[in-house]
Amino acid sequence: MAAIRFQGTDRYVVTEDLALAVNAAVTLSRPLLIKGEPGTGKTQLAEEIAHSLKKPLLEWHIKSTTKAQQGLYEYDAVSRLRDSQLGEARVADIGNYIVKGRLWEVFISDEQPVLLIDEIDKADIEFPNDLLRELDRMEFYVYETRELIKARHRPIILITSNNDKELPDAFLRRCFFHYIRFPDAATMTRIIEMHYPNIKADLLKEALESFYRLREVPGLKKKPSTSELLDWLKLLLADDISAEALRGADGQSAVPLMYGALLKNEQDVHLFEKLVFMDRRQNR
Amino acid sequence: MLIRFFYMLRDGGVPVSITEFLALLEGLKERATSLSVDDFYYLARLVLVKDERYYDRYDRVFSDHFKGVENALQILEASQLPAEWLRRQAELLLSAEERAKVEALGGLDALMEALRERLSEQKSRHQGGNKWVGTAGRSPFGAYGYNPEGVRIGQDESRERQAVKVWDRREFSNLDDTLELGTRNIKLALRRLRRFAREGAAEELDLGGTIDATARNAGWLDLRLVPERRNTIKVLLFLDVGGSMDDHVRLSEELFTAARSEFKHLEYYYFHNCVYESVWRDNHRRHSQRMSLAEVMRTYGSDYRLVFVGDAAMGPYEILQAGGSVEHWNEEPGSAWLTRLRQAYPKHVWLNPEPENRWGYVPSIDLMRRLFEGRMFPLTLAGIDRAMRALNAR
């Protein structure tokens, strides 16, 4: 067993359980299915794994129209037909008209690659089932050329899902599953210090408090997540806002400054403003 | 030991299969992690649990299972720690390297003696609320002490969280739902109601047509395209909201979500208890923006499939009498409007979230079922399946 273990990088904080999940998936060469709130760094995880294990990263972004076959290969019959009429020499070899898909590229990669299948839940409900054999045996058959494509190295597969659709049991059984919990304040402090090493401690404390308070506002459609927090802090730092200003003149800090970076939904902003307004009236 | 854990998980409602269990054993064999309880907890969760909804159940089972460890310790104390037995266990579990460390601490016998003292000391501390031997921190047994079931008692110094706490905290408790059916299953059931037709822009290669046309064209390529096959079924969904339906909100939401993504032509309206002269689209503006039923029937043709979702639990007068509505004065009884709807849309069903065996005991459900001539189905997978078949009939 290779002794390389994923421990996070200088740009990405992993919790103990996530690191364990990644390492176990790598060791046992099982696909790792990652779920979690949007903005908790699911997609970025793949980049960081590839970066830290020094392996090439191949991404396959799934859309609602993506078919499993497209990940393997596509046979471009139409251009072959056209070429045959134009008398092109390459027509004789059907292989010229097989367009390689992402999985094919992964399978023939010279070193063990990291494959990211991003947002698998976006695809049709049967999509994961169509990939069972490919992910299990790491091979597929090209009917047109009658060749069997086998993976040279079992890739490290990372699959992300946003829970739009439930995934079939047969598929889940072949994966390891990890749910990225929303980071607690201690982890969040580490994340922020990594991104903004020069942030003042009091500003950070104040910002985190407002942030977690905001997350607790009931009825928000989309709770602000880590990536939003980082954006917001960038704004605060860019404007050089002090912790005192953030706390607010009256010391109540009901409205975080520039909360537009945290709340992305118009209804949420309305709801929040209403709550703040009511809160102020009560305190008066 | 793990086999018992496996069955406890299954009994605890975590769906684990043999494949996954074997994967876990493989993981342990491959030493995918160190063998601390902490890591074992994460590894087993990673391999066995496939949905965050089950995390809480898993935590509970895990905590239950490893309560045994605690009990074993108490038995140990009670039995005055047979030294011979302790040593045998330790020799079984310790590596040579670790044993060397133990020697450094004064030999196994001395250590065992100290452990025995420490354990009896801790009896009083247990009562003080400290549950686990070794969680206190710097005891030499943290690293070397194993309990008879092979589980490490202690922790690394650097670890900020205690192993036990992770599962005793039960952070995922709000994610657990005893879902009768997930949206995936509903979608699969709704698939029965598919009618494919080729409509819209031609963008798919029509192979048969192309060959035919090319042949007619004396072998000169003539491409033919056809529109993609799409589900053209049209569904009109009437959802009961408020009142007794509050218990079924989740189920209705799931059905709604599934239906929304499955049917391209889905129109939905809300009603309360029984349908009267108007329905509404937006529950926040149910009083200001209503659509009269007559207009609904004018707008959507009879090729729509009509699906009611409601528990039909109400006073029978709400269906049968003019003015029976609990919300407003209705000129005509609900049954008249229901009959009109049923005539306008010959393909209709009623889905009822109440269990089927209760229907006979609620007069209004019974009444509604008779009004629908038996086309009422329970809101379960099998029920949806039957309903979809009924909608497809003829």
Side-chain angles (χ1 to χ4, degrees):
Chain A
M1 183 190 112
I4 323 160
R5 297 191 83 81
F6 178 65
Q7 299 290 5
T9 61
D10 50 353
R11 291 175 299 173
Y12 192 81
V13 176
V14 281
T15 51
E16 199 186 338
D17 49 338
L18 180 59
L20 187 146
V22 171
N23 287 322
V26 172
T27 313
L28 299 173
S29 50
R30 294 280 201 301
L32 178 61
L33 172 66
I34 300 275
K35 272 204 230 170
E37 277 182 44
T40 36
K42 296 190 290 293
T43 308
Q44 213 197 339
L45 176 65
E47 287 165 26
E48 299 304 329
I49 291 175
H51 178 74
S52 109
L53 301 182
K54 302 202 173 45
K55 293 184 189 300
L57 172 70
L58 289 147
E59 296 175 41
W60 185 15
H61 297 280
I62 308 297
K63 290 186 286 185
S64 66
T65 50
T66 307
K67 302 253 169 9
Q69 185 65 32
Q70 291 168 352
L72 309 180
Y73 67 92
E74 281 176 294
Y75 171 44
D76 192 353
V78 176
S79 42
R80 188 170 184 223
L81 265 174
R82 193 197 54 217
D83 282 0
S84 77
Q85 309 224 305
L86 299 174
E88 294 244 355
R90 58 199 287 262
V91 142
D93 184 8
I94 195 166
N96 288 331
Y97 299 93
I98 304 266
V99 184
K100 290 188 179 71
R102 242 326 112 88
L103 270 179
W104 193 327
E105 285 174 31
V106 167
F107 283 5
I108 58 170
S109 170
D110 286 332
E111 52 178 322
Q112 185 188 32
V114 179
L115 169 67
L116 168 70
I117 303 181
D118 206 13
E119 311 201 24
I120 195 167
D121 53 330
K122 294 277 175 293
D124 186 72
I125 195 154
E126 291 295 346
F127 177 84
N129 280 336
D130 297 342
L131 283 179
L132 286 183
R133 189 186 134 88
E134 283 71 22
L135 294 184
D136 224 25
R137 308 276 300 276
M138 293 292 166
E139 62 181 34
F140 62 88
Y141 191 71
V142 186
Y143 294 96
E144 282 78 1
T145 55
R146 292 182 190 76
E147 68 183 308
L148 185 72
I149 306 292
K150 258 183 128 100
R152 288 191 203 159
H153 307 276
R154 248 188 123 83
I156 300 168
I157 302 181
L158 214 75
I159 303 165
T160 71
S161 161
N162 276 324
N163 242 352
D164 270 10
K165 292 194 183 78
E166 276 182 58
L167 301 169
D169 286 343
F171 178 76
L172 288 176
R173 229 171 282 137
R174 286 164 170 83
C175 300
F176 285 173
F177 170 75
H178 184 79
Y179 182 83
I180 298 193
R181 219 159 38 89
F182 195 80
D184 53 14
T187 316
M188 191 59 96
T189 316
R190 272 171 64 206
I191 295 176
I192 292 169
E193 278 168 356
M194 185 173 282
H195 285 264
Y196 306 111
N198 298 323
I199 196 162
K200 284 184 220 102
D202 51 344
L203 176 68
L204 179 59
K205 187 168 154 286
E206 206 61 51
L208 273 182
E209 268 173 25
S210 332
F211 173 71
Y212 278 97
R213 223 169 20 230
L214 191 63
R215 269 181 68 85
E216 276 162 22
V217 170
L220 284 187
K221 279 217 153 62
K222 161 82 177 74
K223 286 183 186 174
S225 65
T226 317
S227 59
E228 270 110 38
L229 173 66
L230 292 177
D231 285 348
W232 182 52
L233 285 176
K234 197 191 260 172
L235 279 181
L236 292 183
L237 285 179
D239 273 23
D240 203 17
I241 284 167
S242 68
E244 288 74 33
L246 196 59
R247 200 179 294 125
D250 48 358
Q252 285 173 7
S253 86
V255 196
L257 286 158
M258 297 189 269
Y259 55 86
L262 292 173
L263 295 172
K264 298 276 174 73
N265 187 310
E266 202 182 292
Q267 283 153 310
D268 283 353
V269 174
H270 282 315
L271 174 82
F272 181 66
E273 282 169 348
K274 218 183 285 174
L275 284 173
V276 167
F277 179 69
M278 274 156 53
D279 187 52
R280 281 223 180 115
R281 223 170 26 182
Q282 262 173 12
N283 284 338
R284 197 167 282 168
Chain B
M1 160 186 176
L2 283 180
I3 290 180
R4 195 169 71 92
F5 182 51
F6 175 68
Y7 280 105
M8 273 174 80
L9 279 173
R10 284 187 71 94
D11 292 343
V14 184
V16 278
S17 70
I18 299 171
T19 332
E20 286 151 342
F21 185 59
L22 290 177
L24 173 65
L25 294 182
E26 190 193 332
L28 292 174
K29 202 171 126 237
E30 293 278 325
R31 293 281 182 279
T33 70
S34 66
L35 290 179
S36 71
V37 193
D38 245 16
D39 287 355
F40 176 73
Y41 164 80
Y42 287 131
L43 179 71
R45 192 178 74 182
L46 174 77
V47 179
L48 300 175
V49 189
K50 295 298 158 70
D51 198 313
E52 69 274 15
R53 279 203 307 262
Y54 301 126
Y55 273 10
D56 183 50
R57 289 187 210 169
Y58 171 80
D59 283 358
R60 266 181 283 169
V61 171
F62 195 90
S63 155
D64 258 12
H65 184 77
F66 285 89
K67 280 257 168 62
V69 172
E70 189 190 21
N71 293 341
L73 279 172
Q74 274 159 4
I75 295 165
L76 257 165
E77 288 164 38
S79 63
Q80 290 286 311
L81 292 183
E84 188 55 36
W85 184 70
L86 256 181
R87 187 181 318 153
R88 212 174 48 229
Q89 288 294 332
E91 277 169 2
L92 219 63
L93 293 164
L94 300 185
S95 69
E97 193 184 325
E98 281 170 323
R99 237 176 286 158
K101 276 191 200 163
V102 172
E103 292 301 326
L105 285 167
L108 200 59
D109 282 338
L111 195 67
M112 284 304 153
E113 187 59 36
L115 171 61
R116 195 170 357 189
E117 272 171 31
R118 190 68 59 89
L119 278 173
S120 55
E121 231 174 74
Q122 270 189 337
K123 204 169 196 176
S124 53
R125 238 197 282 164
H126 273 177
Q127 288 157 354
N130 200 346
K131 215 166 144 187
W132 293 78
V133 174
T135 46
R138 274 165 237 281
S139 135
F141 312 113
Y144 315 118
Y146 282 76
N147 76 14
E149 292 193 45
V151 174
R152 198 164 177 171
I153 307 169
Q155 327 252 325
D156 291 338
E157 277 189 349
S158 62
R159 213 162 273 159
E160 36 177 83
R161 293 197 207 118
Q162 294 175 337
V164 192
K165 276 194 182 154
V166 180
W167 52 86
D168 279 353
R169 252 185 295 171
R170 289 184 52 194
E171 279 161 0
F172 291 91
S173 57
N174 54 346
L175 294 172
D176 185 23
D177 286 304
T178 310
L179 286 177
E180 270 183 65
L181 21 123
T183 50
R184 177 181 168 80
N185 293 336
I186 298 183
K187 275 182 209 163
L188 285 175
L190 289 178
R191 289 199 143 189
R192 288 217 173 278
L193 201 61
R194 275 185 170 179
R195 276 286 149 79
F196 284 107
R198 297 192 182 276
E199 260 179 18
E203 50 199 10
E204 214 175 54
L205 180 71
D206 178 8
L207 199 58
T210 305
I211 294 172
D212 195 42
T214 307
R216 279 173 206 285
N217 214 1
W220 195 247
L221 184 60
D222 186 4
L223 284 181
R224 288 291 149 100
L225 297 172
V226 284
E228 209 179 327
R229 264 157 41 100
R230 290 202 177 90
N231 193 3
T232 54
I233 205 87
K234 296 170 176 174
V235 177
L236 189 55
L237 195 61
F238 277 49
L239 297 148
D240 185 357
V241 283
S244 51
M245 276 304 279
D246 285 349
D247 305 343
H248 310 297
V249 162
R250 216 200 137 75
L251 205 56
S252 312
E253 269 178 358
E254 276 188 6
L255 177 74
F256 185 61
T257 326
R260 248 247 285 235
S261 64
E262 186 61 38
F263 302 122
K264 218 165 183 182
H265 305 276
L266 176 77
E267 304 294 337
Y268 60 93
Y269 289 97
Y270 295 105
F271 64 96
H272 183 58
N273 279 359
C274 187
V275 182
Y276 303 106
E277 58 279 353
S278 61
V279 286
W280 60 93
R281 202 39 167 303
D282 185 341
N283 278 315
H284 295 294
R285 277 168 263 168
R286 53 184 291 187
H287 294 294
S288 52
Q289 291 186 0
R290 294 177 86 108
M291 186 156 172
S292 83
L293 218 49
E295 202 182 326
V296 171
M297 285 187 269
R298 269 202 304 276
T299 314
Y300 307 111
S302 62
D303 54 338
Y304 272 84
R305 265 62 165 184
L306 180 63
V307 179
F308 283 94
V309 181
D311 58 356
M314 58 194 123
Y317 56 87
E318 289 181 59
I319 306 175
L320 291 176
Q321 279 164 26
S325 164
V326 285
E327 290 195 317
H328 68 295
W329 179 263
N330 51 315
E331 294 293 336
E332 283 180 285
S335 58
W337 286 108
L338 282 171
T339 312
R340 264 173 225 153
L341 272 174
R342 286 183 42 239
Q343 278 164 357
Y345 302 100
K347 294 184 175 172
H348 54 260
V349 287
W350 184 295
L351 287 173
N352 196 329
E354 287 286 328
E356 200 168 0
N357 53 16
R358 276 201 51 210
W359 293 358
Y361 301 104
V362 186
S364 63
I365 298 184
D366 204 39
L367 186 68
M368 198 61 96
R369 185 162 51 159
R370 272 186 280 133
L371 257 175
F372 269 75
E373 289 159 0
R375 308 188 74 162
M376 180 183 277
F377 302 95
L379 187 46
T380 59
L381 277 185
I384 295 175
D385 205 66
R386 274 157 60 203
M388 295 305 119
R389 279 170 201 274
L391 283 178
N392 256 346
R394 272 175 297 158

